[in-house]
Amino acid sequence: MPRFESDSDARRLGEALAALRREADLSQAEAGERIGMTSQGWGLYEAGKRPGLFRPDVQRRLTAALGASPEALALKLGGPAAPAADPPAAGLESAGRAFAGPATGTQRLQLSNDDLAPWAASGVVLEYEPGRWPRRGQGCVIAMADGELRVRLYEHADPEALVVRGAGGGEERIPRTATRQVSAVIARLDL
């Protein structure tokens, strides 16, 4: 089974889900029943031991059972976004699943086209976390060296390039030297 980038990230997200559940005055069994899940299944999400918790569609399903939204979950998780740090001038350096540069908190970006439909359509607001590396099939926001922001679906990376899917579903290789930062999308908000 694939592991999260950090067990502490998974626990923090699970704790935020638990806090929303307690605010809704529901037990794990009651919350799980609302979406056809056992209390044990719900408890695994709250303990950060179920890998789907980072998927936006799973977050929508779980938070809807609580009468909340993925945005409420994100707000429970952390405070306001911090300003972006100056990017490294040499581009993105390979360091396994990590990259040079500190995390800067969550940020938002509203899509203005349907290039990634049906994953996300025009008008959808993406919440992303600079410093968090995406998993395969997860949305990502790529800050290019020229200042452009690209939203793509992450596939994998090698020492020379990021491999992503974008408009039309075709594979795209983006040289690491052309990028400043890659950020995992942690929520899709239909506002």
Side-chain angles (χ1 to χ4, degrees):
M1 172 185 291
R3 299 294 298 166
F4 297 114
E5 305 83 47
S6 164
D7 287 340
S8 66
D9 290 342
R11 277 193 301 277
R12 282 186 36 224
L13 191 55
E15 289 167 4
L17 181 65
L20 282 178
R21 178 186 52 78
R22 286 190 294 272
E23 284 178 6
D25 199 28
L26 295 171
S27 68
Q28 288 180 343
E30 292 167 327
E33 185 178 314
R34 290 181 173 195
I35 57 172
M37 179 185 298
T38 65
S39 62
Q40 292 85 1
W42 189 279
L44 288 173
Y45 279 117
E46 287 187 4
K49 296 188 182 208
R50 254 189 148 158
L53 189 54
F54 285 100
R55 290 181 30 198
D57 60 317
V58 171
Q59 288 179 8
R60 272 195 305 277
R61 184 172 165 231
L62 295 173
T63 56
L66 304 174
S69 67
E71 181 179 47
L73 181 64
L75 290 172
K76 281 284 177 209
L77 186 58
D86 289 334
L92 190 64
E93 294 182 20
S94 178
R97 289 183 57 83
F99 58 86
T104 59
T106 60
Q107 296 183 14
R108 290 188 175 174
L109 173 68
Q110 185 169 17
L111 295 180
S112 60
N113 59 47
D114 289 326
D115 286 351
L116 291 176
W119 183 79
S122 179
V124 169
V125 175
L126 300 178
E127 188 164 282
Y128 61 99
E129 187 173 336
R132 180 184 299 241
W133 195 265
R135 295 177 320 280
R136 180 174 289 232
Q138 184 175 14
C140 64
V141 176
I142 304 166
M144 303 300 291
D146 64 4
E148 175 191 5
L149 288 180
R150 293 186 188 176
V151 180
R152 301 290 190 266
L153 296 176
Y154 178 79
E155 286 297 317
H156 65 275
D158 59 43
E160 292 81 35
L162 302 173
V163 180
V164 295
R165 294 204 179 274
E171 191 173 277
E172 177 182 359
R173 290 182 59 83
I174 301 174
R176 285 182 180 259
T177 56
T179 63
R180 289 190 314 201
Q181 188 172 56
V182 177
S183 308
V185 172
I186 59 172
R188 287 179 290 190
L189 310 171
D190 298 318
L191 302 177

